[in-house]
Amino acid sequence: MYDILTYGAKGDGAANDAPAIQQAIDECSQAGGGVVLFPGGRVYRSGYVLLKSNVEIHLEPGAVWKASDRIEDYYPLRNHGQITAHESGLPSYLNSEYAGRPFHGFIYALEQENITISGHGTIDGNESIFYGEDSGYHIEGTYYPRIPLLLLEAVKHLTIRDVRLVNCAFWTVHLVGCDDVLIDGIRILNNLKMANSDGIDPDHCKNVRISNCHIECGDDAIVLKNSGDYKKYGACENIVITNCTLISTSAAIKFGTEGESDFRNVLVDNCCIHRSNRGISIQIRDGGNVENVVFSNIRIETRRFSYEWWGRAEAICLTALDRKPGVKAGKIRNVLFQNIMCEGENGIFLLGSPDNYIEDVFFDNISLTLDRKSKWEIDGYDKRPCQGDGAVQTKISGVYADKVKNVTFQNIRIRKRSSILPYYKEDVTLLDVEDVSSDVR
């Protein structure tokens, strides 16, 4: 046991305790492993810390590990030059191109193994120092990409258990090229207005289990990525997500939009999604493919949050669109949706491309109740990010499918509340489709 107080940590909420924390981690790892203890009842402010092999970080109840107020205290990952709101000059809801590597890190690990973060304490990302423009529904942030709470790269045998992760202004748990990951029983509580404050982002990761978590965040709650800067790590595959409760102002569960490699062999089961701008979204814009995916036993509640957030409250949304000229989107194929109950302001939206149809998707036992739940206009669908205007302006349908083939809708039940009828077109809209069958009631 390596108590950080014995290494000189103050725990007074003011002093930079990073040197003491780092010394405890280094000695623990060099000795072959053990537990680095954050005693309860104190606030440990710190700049960056590098996690090492065979070390468990354990936060006792009441212990708070809070990120520094000073950008210069964070680990430099690349030269940012002059910080702007977004490298493109546009807000992130208009341009989200990001190769995956932030400017700085807070809690960082590279090519380590047997790391654990545990306990009933809290890690605080100190989001307020990154506040930029605030529309009342959406905080853009002072620059992009900002600082993840945890950035763990090429870690083997990683466990994150029980802790509370709060107030992150960017991707909260960014896992890059990790293998054998267990995330169990954690709580992520971020500001629902804070742009890009994703919950858990497995990026080119393998053999990941995420279970029993509660996540509230402004942006995607659990999102699989394959970002460009880390393409050497290959596919994101063999992922299981179970028994989670999710709230999001973007998509509760998403694949993409960063998708330079394949997503395959993914199971999402027994989750409850509520107060979300979208339920399930697969957004393919780069060369990676999606295949062999199962979504089952899920409850989805959606409502639109504002025009800045991608989405129009679609319960299920699958899109395969080229990000820009010369960047060809991959395929979406062999996906199963089974035993799903949806309630909200929009239905099921499938949109492929003229040379890239969405294929081999099966919907079975889907209950969809459409009801107006927000003050925002119900005016169609959202295909952002994309070339040109992202809006599909139309009255909504229970099921909308365009440029898809070999898709089956079996035992689909649709109910419309009176509040939705002025915005409703029909139960099923099929445009450019091949071999589509529908059993919709």
Side-chain angles (χ1 to χ4, degrees):
M1 185 75 72
Y2 296 77
D3 185 334
I4 63 173
L5 293 177
T6 67
Y7 287 85
K10 301 297 184 183
D12 60 3
N16 184 1
D17 288 328
I21 297 168
Q22 192 65 65
Q23 185 181 356
I25 290 171
D26 292 348
E27 290 191 15
C28 179
S29 181
Q30 290 164 8
V35 177
V36 171
L37 179 68
F38 286 62
R42 296 173 181 263
V43 177
Y44 305 92
R45 295 296 294 266
S46 89
Y48 78 83
V49 169
L50 305 180
L51 303 184
K52 302 291 180 68
S53 293
N54 303 311
V55 172
E56 176 177 350
I57 302 293
H58 186 81
L59 293 98
E60 289 187 334
V64 177
W65 184 2
K66 187 170 183 177
S68 172
D69 290 336
R70 301 173 357 123
I71 298 296
E72 53 267 35
D73 289 340
Y74 294 92
Y75 188 75
L77 293 163
R78 63 185 176 101
N79 181 23
H80 56 72
Q82 182 178 0
I83 291 178
T84 58
H86 193 284
E87 290 177 320
S88 69
L90 297 172
S92 58
Y93 62 86
L94 292 178
N95 186 318
S96 66
E97 292 189 35
Y98 174 45
R101 192 181 303 275
F103 296 128
H104 301 92
F106 171 38
I107 301 171
Y108 181 59
L110 175 63
E111 297 177 352
Q112 305 295 311
E113 61 182 19
N114 303 323
I115 289 176
T116 297
I117 300 172
S118 70
H120 293 280
T122 298
I123 306 178
D124 187 330
N126 196 15
E127 65 160 4
S128 62
I129 67 171
F130 303 102
Y131 283 176
E133 184 176 344
D134 186 346
S135 72
Y137 305 97
H138 177 278
I139 300 173
E140 178 56 24
T142 49
Y143 68 96
Y144 179 98
R146 293 177 294 282
I147 301 175
L149 190 69
L150 300 173
L151 176 56
L152 309 176
E153 180 179 351
V155 175
K156 293 184 177 180
H157 319 306
L158 168 68
T159 299
I160 306 174
R161 189 189 299 275
D162 297 332
V163 293
R164 294 172 74 249
L165 309 177
V166 304
N167 301 328
C168 184
F170 202 60
W171 300 2
T172 307
V173 181
H174 187 188
L175 310 174
V176 179
C178 295
D179 188 1
D180 180 12
V181 176
L182 173 63
I183 301 178
D184 184 58
I186 74 169
R187 296 167 174 84
I188 296 177
L189 305 174
N190 287 339
N191 185 343
L192 288 175
K193 293 179 8 180
M194 191 71 210
N196 315 115
S197 65
D198 295 0
I200 302 172
D201 294 55
D203 188 350
H204 296 281
C205 291
K206 296 173 173 59
N207 305 312
V208 178
R209 292 89 68 209
I210 301 171
S211 60
N212 307 313
C213 298
H214 176 70
I215 301 174
E216 302 180 18
C217 60
D219 235 297
D220 308 311
I222 299 176
V223 49
L224 307 188
K225 301 281 191 184
N226 281 314
S227 57
D229 276 357
Y230 302 111
K231 194 172 181 179
K232 66 180 181 180
Y233 294 116
C236 201
E237 60 185 345
N238 307 330
I239 314 291
V240 177
I241 300 168
T242 60
N243 302 336
C244 293
T245 52
L246 308 171
I247 299 171
S248 167
T249 42
S250 192
I253 298 172
K254 191 174 90 172
F255 294 29
T257 57
E258 295 81 7
E260 297 283 351
S261 303
D262 291 348
F263 304 87
R264 55 177 176 252
N265 308 333
V266 181
L267 172 63
V268 182
D269 180 67
N270 205 40
C271 292
C272 185
I273 296 166
H274 62 292
R275 292 173 51 213
S276 288
N277 196 52
R278 267 185 178 151
I280 297 167
S281 180
I282 300 179
Q283 293 175 253
I284 298 305
R285 301 294 183 269
D286 304 305
N289 304 299
V290 174
E291 58 187 354
N292 306 331
V293 179
V294 177
F295 298 94
S296 60
N297 305 314
I298 299 173
R299 170 70 165 84
I300 298 172
E301 179 201 1
T302 61
R303 66 179 180 88
R304 189 174 177 184
F305 272 76
S306 76
Y307 71 90
E308 295 107 332
W309 300 104
W310 294 350
R312 297 290 191 276
E314 300 93 341
I316 298 171
C317 176
L318 277 62
T319 55
L321 306 169
D322 298 348
R323 185 182 292 277
K324 56 187 176 182
V327 179
K328 188 66 195 162
K331 301 286 294 182
I332 300 176
R333 58 194 170 204
N334 196 21
V335 182
L336 169 64
F337 295 89
Q338 188 171 45
N339 301 333
I340 298 178
M341 298 178 62
C342 311
E343 180 177 353
E345 294 183 323
N346 217 325
I348 298 169
F349 178 61
L350 280 66
L351 178 65
S353 304
D355 59 349
N356 185 10
Y357 280 42
I358 295 171
E359 301 181 26
D360 301 319
V361 182
F362 191 87
F363 293 86
D364 178 38
N365 192 26
I366 312 296
S367 172
L368 177 62
T369 301
L370 295 170
D371 187 12
R372 187 164 191 183
K373 293 179 174 288
S374 75
K375 70 177 184 180
W376 301 99
E377 193 66 26
I378 298 173
D379 57 359
Y381 304 92
D382 186 356
K383 58 183 182 179
R384 290 178 293 177
C386 63
Q387 301 173 52
D389 185 8
V392 179
Q393 297 286 353
T394 180
K395 286 191 171 185
I396 65 169
S397 303
V399 173
Y400 181 106
D402 188 10
K403 297 176 180 60
V404 306
K405 64 181 177 181
N406 300 327
V407 175
T408 299
F409 298 97
Q410 177 177 289
N411 192 18
I412 312 297
R413 298 174 305 282
I414 300 175
R415 300 176 62 195
K416 289 87 65 179
R417 306 291 189 195
S418 59
S419 62
I420 211 75
L421 294 179
Y423 314 97
Y424 194 73
K425 180 180 180 181
E426 57 192 350
D427 287 350
V428 179
T429 297
L430 302 178
L431 299 178
D432 184 358
V433 304
E434 298 179 18
D435 298 322
V436 173
S437 64
S438 60
D439 171 20
V440 178
R441 301 173 231 173

